[in-house]
Amino acid sequence: MDKYQVLKETFGYTTFRQGQERLVDSTLSGRDVLGIMPTGAGKSICFQVPALLFPGITIVVSPLISLMKDQVSALNAAGIHAAYINSSLTERQFYKAMDFARQGRYKIIYAAPERLMTESFLALAKEVPISMVAVDEAHCISQWGQDFRPSYLKIVDFIQQLPVRPVLAAYTATATKAVKEDILCILGLQNPDVLVTGYDRKNLYFAVEKPKNKREALLEYLRKNPEKSGVIYCNTRKTVEEVHQQLVQAGYPAVRYHAGLSEEEKKQNQEDFIYDAAPIMVATNAFGMGIDKSNVRFVIHYNMPKDIESYYQEAGRAGRDGEPGECILYYSGQDVKTNEFLIEQQVKNEEFGREEQEVIRERNYERLRKMTFYCFTNECLRDYILRYFGEYGGNYCGNCRSCLTEFQDVDVTEEASGILNMVVTSGQRYGIQAVIDAVHGSDSAKVRQFGLQENSYYGVLKDRTIVRLRQILNDLLVKEYLWLTPGDYPVLKLGEKGREFLQEGDRVQVFLKLPKDQEKAENKQKVQKKRAVENVKYPELFEILRQYRYQMAQKAHIPPYIIFSDKTLREMSTYLPVNREEMLEINGVGTNKYEKYGKAFENLIQDFIYNKNIEK
């Protein structure tokens, strides 16, 4: 048999996809290879075809039990004798598999990296001819990869123990320049054929949304797409449980998947999803590796992932058949805090020294920062992802939310100058909210605590809205005029472009890219604020304001409603006005009442925002 016969008779394909044949040929010629190919590009074919043509056994190192089971099941179904060696086997199953391997019954053996250096597996490896070792998910060997697994370092020790060095083939879907160099160096690939087929999946649509209510946004999406199959990724098991329950209660055929479920339930739910018995999967990132379901039409990230690598790999599970797929990310500020917590937990759980832990922590925070910027950029989302992986093309793809929105460039040079100067003159010691409050002229608890009201740039942008200032500051972060330090209390630092801007003075302009209907939307929001508020967003604050109003009324010997009506307090407790302009937009607050009572209520609201760590 030759490669074409194996491809057709075993796998049912008449032609190789982009890059596959070159990697197959290099492997068959005895050359090491590194293939960096996007999810759905057919990486497994690149090492499975040579494995069936080599005289000896191929060992495939794989990180996940579910991935091994799926691929071995698919090979056995195709008539290929394959097995896996991992912790899911009983002692009897393990020894039976080892005996069959010695008898030459298997062409391909999948093994967990932890198994490689065990006495029994090493003994087998020295008894049988091994033609190739294929390393799947090769990015796991790099500390700069999103899924670093120390057990992957055992691969190198294993290779050195073999009587004859086999061909090495490494494959991954996501690898930055640093990760690629790590794979080549740590694995010791000899004269490798390195092929990067490109990260672009033109059939995928990318969007970032910031819904006020994620649950309602998700249900609305599913109502509009009733026949589609998709994956909904959540950051935590708790969120998976909550979202899954909501979908089931709403009548959607959804299943769940996370590490806290029994193996039986995970297996059943995975099968129900793959076979469309339940076309919607709600899962943590524990789900998806090696799942070859071609008709996934959407991947929704209910929470922002911790890095671009994870996001692109998970989003890439949509549209594996080449048909259109939608990749939508629901962002909220809380997602950042959740990911920071997960980063700290991950570092604590790894068996590293203090210096190594610090390096890993800083690396993870930097990747989280880049992921957060993705959620705020108004530039082409696809281009942002591709540039992250070192690919450069046009800045317009025509198939992402940014490219399909009509934008206008708004000159924000004055605002940028105010923000950057505030950061510098305050010693680059404060976070986002403190800087925004200061340039806005807010009398907030943070401003008073840090003494920022004494800064010469205090209040220079008091006529701009908090929303607009936050947009501009986020854009300055994305464009690297500023950067945030990692850790629990991030502070703003001046970036290289920020220094250049301040040195150049008025000769440099800064533009903010905004949707053309942004101004209309902001005006509409102001009109809506004039309407009565039926439901209070922060009932606890409403009680604080009501009690204060009562005490004030008692001292003044007037009815409480004379000060402000309940309707007015409800609006304050929903929209959180913290300055004169915002307070005057509230129903029932006129100039006279503001001068008489407004400042006291502002201070209460500012303290509430600070104590509850609310982002406006």
Side-chain angles (χ1 to χ4, degrees), residues 125-323:
K126 291 176 181 179
E127 291 177 36
V128 299
I130 296 177
S131 296
M132 175 170 61
V133 172
V135 183
D136 204 7
E137 308 296 342
H139 61 272
C140 294
I141 204 168
S142 170
Q143 288 193 27
W144 301 106
Q146 76 272 23
D147 289 311
F148 173 56
R149 296 172 188 250
S151 58
Y152 258 58
L153 299 174
K154 297 179 185 295
I155 298 171
V156 180
D157 298 329
F158 174 72
I159 298 296
Q160 291 173 348
Q161 293 286 325
L162 299 178
V164 178
R165 186 186 185 277
V167 176
L168 285 184
Y171 288 92
T172 182
T174 53
T176 59
K177 182 181 179 182
V179 172
K180 183 173 76 170
E181 290 174 354
D182 262 4
I183 295 171
L184 292 168
C185 180
I186 296 171
L187 281 177
L189 299 184
Q190 298 177 2
N191 185 31
D193 183 4
V194 180
L195 177 64
V196 181
T197 59
Y199 291 92
D200 194 5
R201 299 271 305 283
K202 296 185 185 300
N203 61 314
L204 298 184
Y205 165 82
F206 291 95
V208 175
E209 297 180 8
K210 303 179 180 71
K212 291 182 179 178
N213 187 311
K214 291 186 179 184
R215 175 180 173 274
E216 290 180 4
L218 177 60
L219 290 174
E220 178 63 19
Y221 180 87
L222 295 178
R223 277 194 291 270
K224 291 179 178 178
N225 298 275
E227 305 301 323
K228 292 182 179 179
S229 177
V231 182
I232 300 160
Y233 279 109
C234 305
N235 271 3
T236 64
R237 299 179 191 180
K238 180 183 177 184
T239 309
V240 168
E241 293 290 344
E242 291 172 352
V243 173
H244 174 254
Q245 185 177 16
Q246 290 164 358
L247 295 188
V248 171
Q249 288 175 346
Y252 289 98
V255 289
R256 58 188 178 166
Y257 193 104
H258 59 70
L261 302 177
S262 67
E263 290 300 321
E264 292 75 16
E265 183 176 354
K266 285 193 288 188
K267 180 181 178 182
Q268 185 61 54
N269 290 349
Q270 184 170 296
E271 287 182 359
D272 286 347
F273 175 68
I274 290 173
Y275 296 110
D276 283 332
I280 299 173
M281 172 63 78
V282 186
T284 62
N285 61 5
F287 174 80
M289 267 194 184
I291 304 301
D292 191 13
K293 180 175 164 68
S294 63
N295 67 332
V296 174
R297 297 272 67 86
F298 66 84
V299 172
I300 292 177
H301 279 79
Y302 200 79
N303 307 107
M304 182 188 74
K306 59 185 172 64
D307 50 56
I308 292 290
E309 291 96 331
S310 299
Y311 177 66
Y312 193 60
Q313 188 174 56
E314 290 158 13
R317 283 157 195 154
R320 292 176 69 124
D321 56 3
E323 293 299 306

Side-chain angles (χ1 to χ4, degrees), residues 411-419 421 460-461 463-464 501 510:
D411 190 337
V412 293
T413 307
E414 184 180 349
E415 291 90 338
S417 177
I419 291 170
N421 277 296
V460 294
L461 302 175
D463 57 337
R464 275 67 159 185
F501 173 83
V510 180

